[in-house]
Amino acid sequence: MEQMIDAAIIGGGPAGLSAALVLGRARKSVVVIDEGRPRNRVTRETHGFLTRDGISPGEFRRVAKEQISAYPTVHFVEDAAVSITGTDGHFQITTAQGQIYQSKKLLFAAGMKDIPLDINGLSEVYGKSAFVCPYCDGWELRDQPLVLIVKGDRALHSAKMLSGWTSQITICTDGPDEWTDEQREELKLHNVPTFNSPILRIESSDGMVKQIVLEDGTIVPCTGIFFAPKLAAGSDLPQTLGCKVTEAGTVFVDMFGKTNIPGIYGAGDAATELYQAITAASMGSLAAVGINSELLAEAWNSRV
């Protein structure tokens, strides 16, 4: 695509799709570049998204693209952005397939990607009976015996949060707990069993966890797991372009998704650690408003 377009969106999840919808309705030319490997493809259902509760991630995207297709200035490309040069008003994006796109503005909505799990058996249950967010999947596991795989300060916070869905919580730290004496006492006072032995394996059937076997021989029966995933940024390009990022790899943005680099925006999991589809969609929508406002102001001012 040799012509200059208004905005290039890197990533076609809830954030990128929501931004594409808003920009399409604002009559802006848009290309959405997405390689079609969403992080949530391992999950069966997306929850907590009003009017779409329980929809599969694949169906969510299909419906979104179908609705966005009503706006002819939005184009989808199954590809990956591998390099970007230029500055505000004229960015050049090169893809893995060798295509080049030129855009006035950029929106990074590439989310995060999972670093391979190093617990034997966890990948078999991830997305089926092991999850990362109680708000997304806690309802389906309510009142069931669950295991939290977590250590450090995050353990107490996670146990408090998960207690809203079940009172049957066991913590497996998979090694030293990294807790203070006060944290251990608080978990004990709330009758939360804890095990520090490394996890030998997770036993399951058809993706449904049955029990966790520890190296010291302890067996912890459970029907669900919540754990803290190891994540990396879905794209290193924002940092390459000079965008400030957090230690977690998310891009610093203002309320309209604007980064510290003129013309570059971020939305969704690429710009927040609040990993929920509806949050990502909201951020994508606001970033699109920010991009459109900037484009309108530039066009308005160029006429005088």
Side-chain angles (χ1 to χ4, degrees):
M1 186 180 287
E2 295 184 357
Q3 69 185 57
M4 178 69 71
I5 56 176
D6 291 316
I9 299 174
I10 314 301
L17 292 168
S18 183
L21 175 61
V22 173
L23 287 169
R25 289 180 54 79
R27 308 183 68 183
K28 295 297 179 289
S29 54
V30 178
V31 61
V32 181
I33 303 172
D34 182 77
E35 59 182 336
R37 291 178 53 81
R39 178 179 160 231
N40 65 356
R41 64 186 182 278
V42 301
T43 63
R44 293 171 174 170
E45 299 177 339
T46 298
H47 293 288
F49 201 117
L50 192 63
T51 76
R52 294 291 180 269
D53 193 45
I55 194 171
S56 73
E59 180 65 4
F60 180 93
R61 289 179 177 235
R62 188 197 66 76
V63 173
K65 287 183 177 180
E66 182 178 275
Q67 294 182 349
I68 294 170
S69 69
Y71 307 99
T73 57
V74 179
H75 300 278
F76 292 93
V77 175
E78 188 164 321
D79 204 343
V82 294
S83 69
I84 299 177
T85 58
T87 56
D88 186 18
H90 192 173
F91 292 103
Q92 181 166 297
I93 304 110
T94 303
T95 71
Q97 297 178 23
Q99 299 299 309
I100 294 176
Y101 300 91
Q102 300 182 76
S103 71
K104 298 175 183 175
K105 307 293 178 186
L106 286 175
L107 171 60
F108 285 102
M112 304 294 282
K113 57 186 176 186
D114 286 303
I115 296 173
L117 306 170
D118 55 4
I119 296 176
N120 184 16
L122 186 52
S123 61
E124 285 83 349
V125 296
Y126 184 22
K128 300 181 180 67
S129 58
F131 306 97
V132 298
C133 173
Y135 284 101
C136 300
D137 299 288
W139 172 261
E140 284 64 36
L141 296 176
R142 64 193 183 280
D143 296 326
Q144 297 184 35
L146 307 180
V147 164
L148 268 173
I149 301 176
V150 66
K151 63 176 65 175
D153 292 337
R154 202 164 182 168
L156 194 55
H157 167 76
S158 299
K160 288 179 184 176
M161 182 167 56
L162 192 56
S163 69
W165 284 274
T166 184
S167 59
Q168 304 174 69
I169 302 170
T170 298
I171 294 179
C172 291
T173 60
D174 191 32
D177 58 28
E178 301 177 6
W179 297 332
T180 64
D181 290 340
E182 290 77 14
Q183 289 171 330
R184 291 189 190 92
E185 185 62 22
E186 185 166 344
L187 289 167
K188 185 178 179 181
L189 284 172
H190 286 82
N191 299 313
V192 177
T194 63
F195 297 93
N196 295 349
S197 175
I199 294 172
L200 181 63
R201 63 180 178 275
I202 294 171
E203 295 183 347
S204 62
S205 175
D206 296 328
M208 305 309 292
V209 60
K210 300 296 183 185
Q211 58 188 21
I212 296 177
V213 182
L214 307 183
E215 286 188 2
D216 66 1
T218 302
I219 293 176
V220 184
C222 64
T223 55
I225 293 171
F226 282 92
F227 68 102
K230 295 179 180 178
L231 301 174
S235 172
D236 295 329
L237 292 174
Q239 199 164 6
T240 303
L241 291 164
C243 295
K244 293 181 179 177
V245 300
T246 68
E247 289 185 4
T250 57
V251 182
F252 281 107
V253 296
D254 68 11
M255 68 176 296
F256 285 102
K258 194 169 186 176
T259 72
N260 61 301
I261 302 299
I264 300 180
Y265 290 73
D269 291 358
T272 181
E273 292 183 61
L274 302 175
Y275 304 132
Q276 293 192 53
I278 197 165
T279 301
S282 172
M283 292 179 70
S285 179
L286 288 172
V289 171
I291 290 170
N292 189 50
S293 297
E294 208 166 275
L295 289 167
L296 290 173
E298 290 167 0
W300 183 276
N301 294 332
S302 70
R303 299 190 189 110
V304 295

